[in-house]
Amino acid sequence: MEQEPILIFGLRPVDVATMLAALAAMAVMVAVWAATTVRDPMRGRVKALQERREQLKAGITASRRRSSVAAKAEATDFMREVLKKLSVLQDEQMREAQTKLAQAGIRSKDAIVMLLFARLVCPIFIGGGMVLAVYVFNMFDTYSNMTQMLIAGGSLYGGYKAPDIFVQNLISKRSDAIRKGLPDALDLLVICAEAGLTVDAAFNRVARELGAGYPELGDEFALTAIELGFLVERRQAFENLANRVALESVRGVVTTMIQTEKYGTPLASSLRVLSAEFRNERMMRAEEKAARLPAIMTVPLILFILPVLFVVILGPAACSISDSL
């Protein structure tokens, strides 16, 4: 009798090996593409400035800008009127939304109205659409009633939380970018303080030096330097910096700067101690990630590497055994 071929999930071993090899090749291509296309943080800004300069030279942006600004203003006014009628524009919610948007790097006042309007509209569209799909179009009629209720309720809650999740994601990415450049910024501040520069000039100089490598931190330092120049209380400028960045390390720097301004303590020595602490913290975070790497690589190793290795090693032997039988 002819022996039946061995099947894995309904597929022959050769087909499984081909699929795994294709996945491995695709993963290698994605890794090579990600390594060769590193995004320059200043390339987009330089390109935008060049395009803007060329448009101004051509003299063709006046009407376009007026029309786009007018359309945006009309849309924002409509959102604001809807929120006012529904009594959603409360001072506490406005302050909370403004703080979160500032931490995400969005400083437009219209963005606050857009965020609150998105909180109102997203549950209606996302949750309402899912409720229609579940109870009107019967797209999930094979599920139980409890599962259908969970799907509808989860979609409503997810629609309400979607704008906040999006903003929180922006805050996390921006905070990580600022955390990476903070030790270098403190070293530059120490050099500027030892060179005899004032705090305003030191922040401005560090902002210019860090603009290429860490644009987020450079923007924050530049804004702090501007506020130090025109605010009556310099303490307020440092507190604004702490409110715009969701990092405890920045709050520690702000506390040090405020104490230095108040008591006249040496700025360079305090910043040097903070810089050493932040560098040690960054090294400990890198060591922690390196220690987690073996556990993280276990699942890809089992799913992608070991099956291909077994096919390559045992495949010829299995083929020869099947031919002999």
Side-chain angles (χ1 to χ4, degrees), residues 77-140:
D77 292 339
F78 172 76
M79 296 178 188
R80 187 178 287 107
E81 291 297 329
V82 172
L83 294 176
K84 284 183 179 179
K85 290 180 181 179
L86 297 176
S87 300
V88 179
L89 285 177
Q90 300 178 1
D91 294 337
E92 184 178 357
Q93 291 182 349
M94 294 282 287
R95 286 194 297 269
E96 181 184 357
Q98 184 177 6
T99 302
K100 287 186 177 180
L101 290 174
Q103 292 175 355
I106 304 172
R107 300 187 179 93
S108 175
K109 294 183 178 179
D110 297 336
I112 303 174
V113 179
M114 294 179 183
L115 177 61
L116 297 178
F117 188 78
R119 288 180 182 176
L120 179 66
V121 172
C122 286
I124 298 175
F125 282 94
I126 299 177
M130 188 59 67
V131 169
L132 290 176
V134 172
Y135 293 106
V136 177
F137 298 103
N138 296 324
M139 296 179 63
F140 300 93

Side-chain angles (χ1 to χ4, degrees), residues 267-294:
L267 178 61
S269 58
S270 302
L271 292 179
R272 188 178 291 109
V273 172
L274 283 176
S275 176
E277 291 180 358
F278 293 157
R279 287 188 182 280
N280 292 332
E281 181 183 356
R282 187 168 65 178
M283 182 61 67
M284 291 174 61
R285 191 178 295 109
E287 292 176 353
E288 181 182 357
K289 289 183 178 180
R292 290 204 312 264
L293 190 59

Side-chain angles (χ1 to χ4, degrees), residues 205-283:
R205 179 68 178 179
V206 173
R208 291 201 307 269
E209 294 294 334
L210 292 178
Y214 307 101
E216 295 85 0
L217 186 58
D219 291 341
E220 293 297 337
F221 272 37
L223 185 57
T224 304
I226 294 172
E227 290 182 347
L228 285 172
F230 72 85
L231 286 180
V232 178
E233 295 184 0
R234 297 168 64 87
R235 178 191 181 97
Q236 186 63 38
F238 296 121
E239 291 179 351
N240 292 338
L241 174 62
N243 293 329
R244 290 194 305 267
V245 181
L247 283 177
E248 291 297 329
S249 55
V250 175
R251 296 185 183 276
V253 175
V254 166
T255 302
T256 302
M257 300 299 294
I258 292 175
Q259 291 178 354
T260 302
E261 291 280 339
K262 184 176 181 180
Y263 300 108
T265 56
L267 178 61
S269 58
S270 302
L271 292 179
R272 188 178 291 109
V273 172
L274 283 176
S275 176
E277 291 180 358
F278 293 157
R279 287 188 182 280
N280 292 332
E281 181 183 356
R282 187 168 65 178
M283 182 61 67

Side-chain angles (χ1 to χ4, degrees), residues 165-180:
I165 293 173
F166 175 74
V167 174
Q168 189 63 39
N169 187 24
L170 294 179
I171 293 173
S172 300
K173 291 181 179 179
R174 193 167 185 269
S175 300
D176 291 339
I178 292 175
R179 184 188 292 112
K180 291 178 182 178

